[in-house]
């Protein structure tokens, strides 16, 4: 059956802290819809609706948690994040997604499974971890091979990424002739925000303290430092105590991440699942992941370690998704008709970086990070 509507949604079961609080991520969903709804609507000429869980929406996320016999809180969000799609769960979602084509912003593996069980086509978008190009962009994944093939024709190439790596290396070389060299290290541990889907492993949110022995071993080798995530510049008290005990100094999170990655003294980058590990590989640095990749992003560096089949693969698309033609093209195989307009959106550096207020370690934009409240549990 041809989809009759477009549904835009997100990780709508995501809650923070010990109480049900959807404000933070619902804001992201509405942001995502506002940015892409005009193009999707023009390309499909179908009604576009937002599926969210908040005080006014018909969807009842609490009923989903009840089906698991769990309270709706942050710990249980991690437990159900990649759970199996049971019949009872599918029945709760069916009225909200039937006869639709779903466009998701960071939807969880559980929802992927539910949509597959219900035979609902979807395209899921995630912010791509390579953030050092002239703008940030999305990775795309779909459960329809025809849509995936169309997306692949827009894929960012590894050569284009390498070009930007070269620019950062050239910048570092140039600056080193004028700036006082700061202390270097051989091993850099990268921190993350304490509450993020990329940290979920075995049904719980992982932390660096889960890997104390491995970090302590690296510290004994010497020449090591820890760089907090710019959104969480202060490590938790327990992590701070651990770092101090092992003599691991902190690198200011305001220092440009790509200046660090270009430092010739650096020999390895270590972390849980940080996107910086994807970036570091393009800078020619060995990386160590403490938890397996749940999401794998293309392009990847040549001969990069491939995860098992459980990893969801997202194809990087740089800028093209802002045009009507992109959506008309990738949905052509799924809808009865689409409406391209032949008007590509001209590229503008930092367009989405400024809109999203996300600069991470890139300082030459002059922007200030806008940190959502859900990055820190309530």
């Amino acid at each position: 059956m041809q989809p009759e509507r477009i549904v835009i949604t997100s990780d709508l079961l995501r809650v923070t802290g010990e109480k049900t609080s959807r404000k933070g991520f619902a804001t992201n969903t509405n942001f995502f819809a506002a940015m892409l709804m005009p193009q999707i609507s023009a390309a499909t000429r179908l009604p576009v609706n937002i599926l969210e869980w908040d005080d006014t929406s018909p969807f009842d996320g609490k009923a989903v948690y009840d089906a698991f016999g769990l309270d709706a809180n942050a710990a249980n969000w991690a437990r159900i994040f990649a759970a199996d799609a049971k019949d009872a769960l599918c029945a709760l979602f069916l009225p909200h997604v039937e006869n639709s084509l779903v466009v998701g912003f960071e939807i969880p593996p559980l929802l992927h499974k539910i949509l597959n069980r219900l035979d609902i086509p979807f395209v899921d978008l995630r912010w791509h971890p390579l953030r050092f190009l002239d703008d940030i962009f999305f990775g795309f994944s779909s459960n329809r091979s025809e849509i995936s093939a169309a997306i692949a024709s827009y894929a960012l190439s590894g050569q284009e990424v390498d070009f930007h790596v070269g620019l950062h290396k050239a910048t570092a070389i140039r600056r080193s002739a004028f700036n006082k060299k700061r202390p270097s290290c051989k091993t850099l541990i990268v921190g993350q925000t304490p509450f993020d889907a990329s940290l979920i492993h075995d049904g719980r949110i992982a932390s660096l303290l889960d890997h104390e022995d491995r970090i302590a071993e690296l510290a004994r080798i010497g020449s090591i430092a820890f760089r907090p995530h710019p959104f969480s510049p202060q490590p938790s008290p327990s992590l701070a105590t651990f770092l101090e005990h092992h003599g691991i100094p902190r690198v200011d999170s305001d220092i440009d991440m790509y200046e660090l990655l270009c430092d010739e003294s650096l020999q390895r980058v270590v972390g849980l699942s940080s996107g910086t590990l994807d970036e570091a590989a393009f800078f020619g640095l060995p990386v160590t992941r403490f938890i397996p990749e749940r999401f794998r992003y293309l392009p990847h560096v040549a001969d990069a370690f491939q995860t098992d089949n459980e990893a969801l693969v997202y194809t990087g698309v740089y800028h093209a998704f802002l045009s009507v033609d992109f959506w008309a093209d990738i949905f052509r195989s799924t809808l009865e008709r689409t409406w391209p307009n032949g008007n590509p959106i001209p590229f503008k550096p930092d367009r989405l970086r400024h809109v999203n207020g996300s600069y991470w370690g890139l300082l030459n934009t002059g922007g200030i990070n806008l940190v959502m409240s859900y990055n820190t549990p309530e």
Side-chain angles (χ1 to χ4, degrees), residues 12-302:
L12 74 172
L13 297 173
R14 181 172 179 164
V15 293
T16 60
E18 292 303 320
K19 64 179 182 179
T20 301
S21 172
R22 292 282 310 142
K23 184 177 180 180
F25 213 74
T27 298
N28 266 357
T29 310
N30 292 327
F31 151 82
F32 177 76
M35 178 171 58
L36 295 179
M37 189 183 294
Q39 298 92 309
I40 294 172
S41 180
T44 65
R45 298 190 182 178
L46 292 176
V48 182
N49 309 113
I50 295 176
L51 173 59
E52 254 299 340
W53 172 25
D54 56 29
D55 293 338
T56 61
S57 65
F59 177 78
D60 184 4
K62 185 177 182 301
V64 177
Y65 280 90
D66 289 344
F68 284 98
L70 299 172
D71 294 329
N73 58 44
N76 289 333
W77 164 68
R79 288 182 65 181
I80 71 172
F81 184 74
D84 291 333
K86 304 295 187 183
D87 289 344
L89 298 175
C90 293
L92 291 172
F93 275 90
L94 179 59
H96 304 283
V97 298
E98 60 183 341
N99 302 322
S100 75
L101 191 165
V102 172
V103 179
F105 175 51
E106 301 186 353
I107 59 178
L110 170 60
L111 187 49
H112 285 204
K113 296 173 186 178
I114 289 171
L115 294 174
N116 283 332
R117 281 281 308 273
L118 296 174
D119 197 28
I120 303 294
F122 71 78
V123 176
D124 187 33
L125 283 68
R126 292 182 177 274
W127 286 120
H128 198 283
L130 302 185
R131 301 162 186 149
F132 56 82
L133 281 69
D134 289 331
D135 201 5
I136 57 177
F137 57 101
F138 288 111
F140 287 71
S141 187
S142 176
N143 63 343
R144 293 291 190 269
S145 59
E146 298 85 357
I147 295 178
S148 296
I151 291 170
S153 68
Y154 293 91
L156 176 70
S157 70
Q159 289 82 4
E160 188 168 0
V161 177
D162 290 340
F163 162 74
H164 286 86
V165 169
L167 290 181
H168 284 284
K169 289 183 175 180
T171 300
I173 292 169
R174 182 67 173 168
R175 299 294 183 270
S176 67
F178 298 94
N179 299 335
K180 181 179 178 181
K181 185 173 176 61
R182 49 170 187 74
S184 298
C185 65
K186 293 182 179 179
T187 300
L188 182 66
I189 304 171
V190 290
Q192 294 176 247
T193 59
F195 187 69
D196 189 81
S198 66
L199 295 173
I200 295 176
H201 179 55
D202 287 340
R204 58 182 293 274
I205 298 174
S207 81
L208 285 171
L209 292 176
D210 297 332
H211 304 274
E212 291 184 15
D213 292 345
R214 297 178 70 181
I215 295 173
E217 183 179 350
L218 290 170
R220 284 193 290 272
I221 298 173
S223 188
I224 188 172
F226 170 74
R227 183 183 186 271
H229 193 287
F231 290 2
S232 301
Q234 299 301 322
S236 67
S238 55
L239 179 57
T241 299
F242 173 79
L243 295 172
E244 183 177 1
H245 175 72
H246 290 282
I248 301 174
R250 272 184 259 171
V251 177
D252 193 326
S253 63
D254 286 340
I255 292 177
D256 191 311
M257 187 69 231
Y258 309 109
E259 177 186 342
L260 297 175
L261 295 183
C262 290
D263 192 322
E264 292 182 352
S265 299
L266 189 61
Q267 296 180 3
R268 69 185 66 85
V269 182
V270 177
L272 288 166
S273 60
S274 172
T276 301
L277 301 176
D278 294 84
E279 296 179 305
F282 275 95
F283 282 78
L285 292 164
V287 301
T288 298
R289 294 180 182 274
F290 287 146
I291 62 178
E293 293 176 281
R294 184 177 293 280
F295 310 112
R296 180 160 58 86
Y297 295 88
L298 304 177
H300 57 76
V301 294

